[in-house]
Amino acid sequence: MTTSQWHGSGNGTSGAALDLLRIVRINEEIKRVVAVAFKINIMALNAIFLAKRAGNAALGFGVLSNELRVFSKDLRESMISLTRLIHDLVAEVSVVLQESRQDALFRRTLAQCSGNPMLDSVLERRNAQHDSRAQRISGLRRSLRLAVDDAARLVELGGVLAKSAKIEAAYGAGFASSLGQVSGEFDGVVEEIRSSLEILRRSKFFGGSA
């Protein structure tokens, strides 16, 4: 449905309000991912320090810990991109809400003054604006979904790194137990992020079920 059809059917306010609510929920999930990404960064720094203490036995673990730190940085940057798209969507959908209220008044005026060429011209112009806004929202929606998919692929890489760190931890000699505990925490945190991104992908804003 185009925005002009949306407005004209009288469903603009409710439809835009639902979208705005879904966007806010997506943003809350993004905030959770950002918080966890910071947590991974701190964990990785601690893991790198622990690997240095373990010496040669934990060289592989140290390399993977550093890669997980890079992963956390890349993930935060990915979430920043998502947040920008969210802000743009909030701005566009908020305008739709405002215009929907204005259109309700406009429709009442049209009903009382049907056949007025000036009002018909205004209606045509407003419909063109609505359609243009609908295209922008649709484009932002697609961009947001693609960005979420990109983030999900990045998290898959993080999962591989975490599992590899768990394997390397076993070769940590006297530090194997400590390294194993840290790598297990990495694995759990990455799973937490994966769960959040799956919630985003299933959002009704993208036609999903969540």
Side-chain angles (χ1 to χ4, degrees):
M1 179 181 287
T2 65
T3 308
S4 58
Q5 291 171 322
W6 206 9
H7 285 248
S9 65
N11 294 326
T13 301
S14 59
L18 276 173
D19 267 351
L20 193 58
L21 177 61
R22 290 162 184 162
I23 292 167
V24 169
R25 287 174 178 168
I26 289 172
N27 193 48
E28 289 303 310
E29 210 63 47
I30 290 171
K31 287 179 181 178
R32 289 191 188 95
V33 173
V34 170
V36 176
F38 274 111
K39 184 178 179 181
I40 289 178
N41 184 55
I42 294 171
M43 288 169 58
L45 285 171
N46 290 334
I48 291 168
F49 176 72
L50 184 60
K52 286 181 178 178
R53 286 182 58 200
N56 291 336
L59 285 177
F61 185 86
V63 170
L64 288 165
S65 296
N66 188 62
E67 288 301 316
L68 280 162
R69 189 183 178 201
V70 173
F71 159 70
S72 74
K73 176 178 176 292
D74 291 343
L75 185 61
R76 289 199 305 273
E77 290 176 354
S78 175
M79 292 303 105
I80 288 171
S81 297
L82 286 173
T83 301
R84 290 196 191 102
L85 289 168
I86 287 291
H87 288 168
D88 289 345
L89 276 163
V90 167
E92 293 289 350
V93 175
S94 296
V95 173
V96 170
L97 278 169
Q98 182 181 6
E99 289 179 343
S100 296
R101 298 186 187 100
Q102 293 171 352
D103 283 353
L105 294 172
F106 192 70
R107 283 194 301 274
R108 286 198 290 270
T109 303
L110 277 176
Q112 296 169 2
C113 308
S114 59
N116 187 314
M118 185 176 295
L119 289 178
D120 288 341
S121 175
V122 172
L123 177 61
E124 184 177 346
R125 186 168 63 251
R126 287 182 70 85
N127 282 342
Q129 291 171 347
H130 296 337
D131 288 342
S132 176
R133 192 171 305 284
Q135 290 174 10
R136 289 198 295 274
I137 291 174
S138 179
L140 287 168
R141 192 192 306 262
R142 284 194 301 271
S143 295
L144 183 61
R145 178 55 200 260
L146 289 172
V148 170
D149 288 343
D150 286 343
R153 283 190 286 271
L154 179 61
V155 171
E156 290 303 317
L157 171 62
V160 170
L161 291 171
K163 285 178 171 54
S164 297
K166 189 180 290 187
I167 294 171
E168 286 294 329
Y171 300 102
F175 287 84
S177 177
S178 298
L179 296 175
Q181 181 179 349
V182 171
S183 63
E185 290 172 355
F186 275 134
D187 204 24
V189 169
V190 171
E191 282 301 318
E192 186 179 342
I193 296 172
R194 185 182 285 114
S195 176
S196 288
L197 289 176
E198 187 56 32
I199 290 172
L200 294 185
R201 296 172 90 173
R202 290 188 289 106
S203 169
K204 286 185 178 180
F205 186 68
F206 304 123
S209 59

